[in-house]
Amino acid sequence: MIYLGSTRVLTQDFGSHKYAEDYAGDHKSIVKMNGQGKVIQVINRFKSHEDSINYQTFLNNQSRWKDGNIYHCVSITGKQVDMSYDELGGNQIVIETYTNEGTLLTFRLAHLDQVLVHNGDFVDEGTILGYQGNTGLVLSSKATSNETYGSHVHLEIRNQDGTPLNPRSYATGEIKTTYKKQSNELSKDKDQFKVIVDNINIRQEPNTTSNILGMVYMNEVYTILETVKSSEYTWYKITTGRGVTGYVASKIGGQWVELMLKNEEIKPDPEVPDEVIDPTYELLFTCKKTGTYYVKLVENEQLYIKKNK
Ligand SMILES: [Zn+2]
């Protein structure tokens, strides 16, 4: 059986692991996925063996582990390692992907020796995601002096509600996942927005409690089909390139998206003004058409606008 692109054996099944499965093969062997996806998160700062946490140390202090806390632990080589709860997975990758029916799934692969992909990368069966390793918290009966101590791939798959699914058939390649480019084409004839934060959920309805259908990411462009305002958010209805229709929120006053509206042309005044009252003041543009203008400033930059007399 092929688990994640390499010959591995199942070392912990979904029944006993509860929310994932573990597959062990050769230490530092390549890891691939059986399908397509987009990398949405990467942690890649640990060294296999050196930054593998001693399991007994973890068990002794387990009650103190809390989300968001940094914990000082002892690695299997006796080295002091600082780790937060979500780094127990060591070097890891989170991938957004979809079933053939279009249902959102997130894959999390953990304990890698090294991650070879970057946030935002599109990956498929040909992509080497990284190498199997033992970073983070791993359990093994092997001697602590053995550098392959606990080396395995942890695969966790969650649906849009965050519910863990049995990952087996995805690990063996029995079920393959898909991913299509979802950003729309840039167009001057359409009202569009560009995402200027890391990511925003796509919701089925314009409210924060409706189903999550996927996410939009930094620098992606979408055509606005409809605008719905609420007290806290402006919701933009979109259809992605993979055919999902839903609503993306921009927090009012929060600057989550940059609007690119077809009727709002932002043109700097081509004429240099004849009269400059104060050399430290500069006329930036002459308003030719009433509308809302967006001005991007960099740190410490100041904006002066000349007043009408
Ligand atoms: Zn695991």
Side-chain angles (χ1 to χ4, degrees), residues 13-294:
D13 71 9
F14 192 66
S16 60
H17 203 317
K18 305 293 183 202
Y19 63 100
E21 282 198 331
D22 290 343
Y23 313 107
D26 291 338
H27 185 53
K28 300 195 183 185
S29 55
I30 60 169
V31 178
K32 292 183 174 183
M33 69 182 286
N34 293 307
Q36 305 168 326
K38 180 176 180 168
V39 178
I40 59 169
Q41 197 192 333
V42 166
I43 294 178
N44 189 32
R45 68 177 186 85
F46 300 110
K47 290 195 180 88
S48 266
H49 189 50
E50 290 173 23
D51 292 347
S52 313
I53 303 174
N54 183 306
Y55 205 83
Q56 196 52 49
T57 311
F58 168 75
L59 292 180
N60 293 346
N61 295 282
Q62 198 172 13
S63 59
R64 289 163 54 199
W65 280 96
K66 273 192 187 129
D67 233 351
N69 282 4
I70 300 286
Y71 184 72
H72 308 294
C73 28
V74 183
S75 75
I76 58 169
T77 56
K79 190 180 158 187
Q80 284 291 328
V81 183
D82 288 344
M83 246 181 233
S84 67
Y85 187 82
D86 63 357
E87 289 173 329
L88 288 176
N91 293 332
Q92 50 195 294
I93 312 172
V94 180
I95 294 170
E96 178 180 296
T97 187
Y98 295 86
T99 64
N100 283 315
E101 291 72 43
T103 306
L104 170 71
L105 299 175
T106 51
F107 280 34
R108 180 169 163 265
L109 292 91
H111 310 304
L112 298 169
D113 175 70
Q114 195 188 343
V115 176
L116 297 181
V117 292
H118 302 95
N119 209 344
D121 284 357
F122 291 100
V123 296
D124 61 23
E125 290 150 53
T127 312
I128 298 176
L129 302 174
Y131 302 120
Q132 181 190 309
N134 55 5
T135 53
L137 177 70
V138 289
L139 175 61
S140 170
S141 57
K142 286 190 176 184
T144 56
S145 59
N146 185 335
E147 73 159 14
T148 63
Y149 174 97
S151 183
H152 73 276
V153 178
H154 165 107
L155 176 65
E156 192 178 316
I157 300 182
R158 291 177 188 269
N159 69 10
Q160 72 275 17
D161 307 322
T163 308
L165 309 177
N166 189 333
R168 183 87 56 89
S169 45
Y170 295 94
T172 58
E174 193 185 324
I175 303 179
K176 291 185 195 299
T177 58
T178 65
Y179 197 93
K180 264 195 203 163
K181 181 173 174 268
Q182 62 172 7
S183 180
N184 298 150
E185 292 302 317
L186 191 63
S187 169
K188 283 179 183 169
D189 308 322
K190 292 173 181 168
D191 288 344
Q192 296 185 311
F193 67 83
K194 186 186 202 174
V195 182
I196 56 171
V197 291
D198 287 346
N199 56 67
I200 315 170
N201 290 326
I202 306 171
R203 299 270 182 182
Q204 196 166 355
E205 300 296 332
N207 63 65
T208 54
T209 53
S210 81
N211 285 341
I212 297 171
L213 305 176
M215 298 233 230
V216 297
Y217 296 96
M218 173 85 83
N219 292 329
E220 289 180 347
V221 170
Y222 293 93
T223 298
I224 301 167
L225 305 177
E226 187 192 334
T227 303
V228 181
K229 298 220 181 225
S230 70
S231 57
E232 220 182 327
Y233 302 97
T234 305
W235 294 90
Y236 299 106
K237 188 177 184 180
I238 62 164
T239 294
T240 68
R242 58 182 174 82
V244 168
T245 299
Y247 293 84
V248 170
S250 181
K251 197 174 171 70
I252 292 168
Q255 302 250 315
W256 292 1
V257 301
E258 181 184 290
L259 288 176
M260 300 181 294
L261 305 181
K262 63 183 176 187
N263 293 323
E264 284 186 13
E265 291 177 54
I266 303 169
K267 284 183 186 167
D269 190 334
E271 289 169 35
V272 176
D274 298 336
E275 180 203 11
V276 178
I277 303 164
D278 180 328
T280 61
Y281 286 65
E282 189 186 351
L283 178 66
L284 291 179
F285 63 91
T286 302
C287 186
K288 296 268 174 71
K289 192 177 166 188
T290 305
T292 309
Y293 292 79
Y294 295 85

Side-chain angles (χ1 to χ4, degrees), residues 288-303:
K288 296 268 174 71
K289 192 177 166 188
T290 305
T292 309
Y293 292 79
Y294 295 85
V295 180
K296 187 174 183 176
L297 299 175
V298 297
E299 200 177 3
N300 294 326
E301 202 170 21
Q302 293 171 309
L303 173 70

